[in-house]
């Protein structure tokens, strides 16, 4: 068997340290789609790290440079080394070690991108460009440094979700179409639902990480929705506000549920014979469903101990979807049953 380029090996090694979910589901993708998605995800994760760990104008400049480097312009190798040196200087001291290693490995991730086919490189670069521009423009809006926590409205929260995750849904759809002519024939059904697939997962993460984000000085919840319940992000965690906080919180659970329904339609539009691609999408989708079930009406989401699904639940989702991956009626029944308790 032909050995992989060292840059691809680096990408495979660093992936589990920065994302347990993608380390779980990328290996079920067929080759060369698996390495294309690995490289694409890591570039997006580098952007995410810059947004989270390098606040201020430096973050926007680094994001713009990452977008430029993703097009692999002439001389990108030397520019990428300068990029990593600058990023290393401005990342917070508390930045997770694995994410720092990834940012420092940006030249190797770009090298891995360079070995892929031209359409892959173009789709990935287009995604990183939109994501970086959006993060650079919206990144400080949800932080205290911008003059107040939270985003202005639900529309702005969903716009933020689009830039950090909906763009990934669009890119994955283009990569799937590049790989599979059968999927390309279903573009009219898939493309309108691609953004919802990413938004659903991101909104679920926002809801799961509300307290952690607030303690880091960030909030991606809409201020208008909180205001309907007499709340602001600054007082959301106060014990005396739990009743109203959960009313507002459950409205956002309903929005995430709505997006998950569109995401499920997306997966059902994928051809049954593409089992690896279906599983790649089904696992995070059903894990998001199970997470929302744990979050709905659960005041513990505002406490210090994070609320997350158990390893047993992960194993159950993986096992049951493997069995049902090509059985649409059973998947629809499973989805309907698991989402039944969620607000609409």
């Amino acid at each position: 068997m032909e050995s992989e380029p060292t840059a691809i090996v680096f990408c495979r090694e660093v992936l589990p340290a920065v994302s347990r979910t993608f380390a779980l589901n990328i290996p079920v993708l067929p080759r060369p789609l698996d390495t294309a998605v690995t490289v694409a995800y890591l570039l997006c994760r580098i952007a995410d790290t810059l947004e989270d760990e390098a606040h201020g104008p430096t973050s926007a400049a680094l994001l713009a440079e990452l977008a430029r480097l993703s097009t692999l312009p002439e001389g990108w190798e030397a520019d990428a080394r300068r990029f990593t040196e600058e990023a290393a200087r401005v990342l917070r001291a508390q930045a997770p070690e694995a994410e720092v290693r990834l940012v420092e490995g940006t030249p190797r991730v770009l090298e891995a991108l360079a070995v892929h086919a031209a359409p892959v490189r173009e789709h990935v670069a287009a995604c990183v460009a939109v994501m970086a521009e959006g993060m650079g423009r919206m990144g400080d809006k949800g932080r205290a440094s911008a003059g107040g926590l939270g985003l202005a409205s639900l529309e702005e929260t969903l716009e933020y979700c689009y830039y950090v995750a909906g763009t990934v849904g669009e890119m994955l759809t283009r990569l799937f179409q590049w790989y599979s002519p059968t999927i390309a024939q279903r573009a009219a059904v898939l493309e309108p639902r691609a953004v919802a697939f990413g938004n659903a997962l991101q909104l679920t993460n926002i809801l799961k990480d509300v307290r952690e984000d607030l303690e880091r000085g960030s909030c991606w919840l809409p201020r208008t929705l909180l205001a309907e319940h007499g709340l602001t992000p600054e007082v959301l965690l106060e014990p005396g506000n739990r009743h109203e906080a959960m009313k507002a919180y459950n409205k956002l659970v309903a929005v995430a549920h709505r997006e998950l329904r569109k995401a499920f339609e997306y997966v059902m539009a994928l051809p049954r014979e593409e089992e690896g691609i279906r599983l790649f999408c089904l696992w995070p989708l059903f894990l998001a469903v199970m997470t929302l079930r744990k979050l709905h009406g659960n005041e513990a989401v505002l406490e210090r101990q994070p609320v997350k699904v158990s390893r047993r639940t992960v194993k159950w989702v993986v096992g049951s979807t493997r069995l049902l991956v090509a059985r649409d009626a059973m998947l629809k029944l499973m989805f309907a049953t698991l989402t039944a308790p969620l607000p609409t």
Side-chain angles (χ1 to χ4, degrees):
M1 183 176 172
E2 186 180 345
S3 61
E4 287 186 320
T6 56
I8 296 288
V9 173
F10 169 79
C11 291
R12 288 194 189 279
E13 288 176 352
V14 77
L15 179 66
V18 295
S19 175
R20 282 177 296 181
T21 300
F22 277 87
L24 176 72
N25 68 346
I26 284 178
V28 300
L29 289 172
R31 292 195 174 188
L33 191 57
D34 62 336
T35 58
V37 173
T38 298
V39 172
Y41 171 77
L42 291 177
L43 284 170
C44 293
R45 189 55 189 261
I46 291 167
D48 192 51
T49 300
L50 294 174
E51 187 212 14
D52 286 345
E53 309 296 343
H55 297 172
T58 306
S59 172
L62 286 169
L63 284 165
E65 177 62 359
L66 178 66
R68 189 186 73 85
L69 289 171
S70 296
T71 66
L72 303 175
E74 186 176 350
W76 68 263
E77 296 94 336
D79 290 346
R81 288 192 292 273
R82 285 192 288 272
F83 168 86
T84 58
E85 290 168 6
E86 176 63 20
R89 279 198 295 271
V90 301
L91 290 179
R92 294 188 318 146
Q94 305 94 322
E97 185 180 335
E99 294 181 23
V100 174
R101 183 188 175 213
L102 173 60
V103 172
E104 291 173 344
T106 302
R108 302 177 81 179
V109 181
L110 291 168
E111 185 183 339
L113 176 63
V115 305
H116 284 86
V120 171
R121 300 196 304 268
E122 291 163 9
H123 295 325
V124 172
C127 172
V128 175
V130 177
M131 178 181 287
E133 189 275 331
M135 284 181 171
R137 189 160 49 81
M138 295 194 69
D140 279 339
K141 282 191 175 185
R143 298 193 176 95
S145 59
L149 286 168
L151 294 173
S153 62
L154 178 59
E155 289 73 24
E156 202 165 79
T157 294
L158 289 173
E159 183 184 5
Y160 174 76
C161 288
Y162 167 71
Y163 284 122
V164 299
T167 51
V168 177
E170 290 177 328
M171 174 188 63
L172 288 172
T173 305
R174 291 172 188 139
L175 291 176
F176 294 163
Q177 291 179 65
W178 160 75
Y179 170 80
S180 166
T182 309
I183 292 179
Q185 292 170 5
R186 304 187 180 193
V189 179
L190 291 167
E191 289 178 357
R193 294 165 175 80
V195 170
F197 186 82
N199 282 2
L201 303 185
Q202 183 62 27
L203 195 50
T204 300
N205 283 336
I206 287 172
L207 291 169
K208 177 172 65 70
D209 298 334
V210 165
R211 183 173 190 114
E212 182 183 340
D213 284 342
L214 282 167
E215 289 177 345
R216 287 162 54 99
S218 301
C219 181
W220 311 110
L221 304 180
R223 288 194 297 268
T224 48
L225 189 147
L226 295 178
E228 290 172 13
H229 298 273
L231 300 168
T232 65
E234 289 80 3
V235 302
L236 186 64
L237 300 181
E238 292 178 7
N241 293 329
R242 285 290 188 268
H243 183 68
E244 290 302 316
M246 292 314 298
K247 282 186 186 177
Y249 191 88
N250 289 333
K251 287 181 181 178
L252 290 169
V253 171
V255 176
H257 178 198
R258 179 193 72 195
E259 297 297 292
L260 276 172
R261 289 188 170 279
K262 295 179 194 170
F264 185 69
E265 292 173 2
Y266 176 95
V267 181
M268 289 295 92
L270 293 168
R272 281 192 291 253
E273 58 268 27
E274 293 291 359
E275 291 191 1
I277 295 175
R278 269 197 167 199
L279 287 173
F280 171 85
C281 297
L282 282 169
W283 290 351
L285 187 148
F286 274 109
L287 289 174
V289 169
M290 300 308 286
T291 299
L292 284 183
R293 283 168 58 97
K294 290 203 76 166
L295 298 177
H296 178 223
N298 184 359
E299 293 187 3
V301 299
L302 302 177
E303 303 295 344
R304 289 197 178 278
Q305 192 65 28
V307 175
K308 54 186 179 181
V309 296
S310 65
R311 290 184 179 181
R312 183 179 177 182
T313 298
V314 174
K315 287 182 178 179
W316 178 79
V317 166
V318 169
S320 56
T321 49
R322 276 192 186 277
L323 287 172
L324 304 178
V325 62
R327 301 174 65 183
D328 286 10
M330 293 300 292
L331 283 172
K332 289 175 182 176
L333 178 61
M334 178 178 170
F335 183 81
T337 301
L338 292 175
T339 56
L342 297 177
T344 56

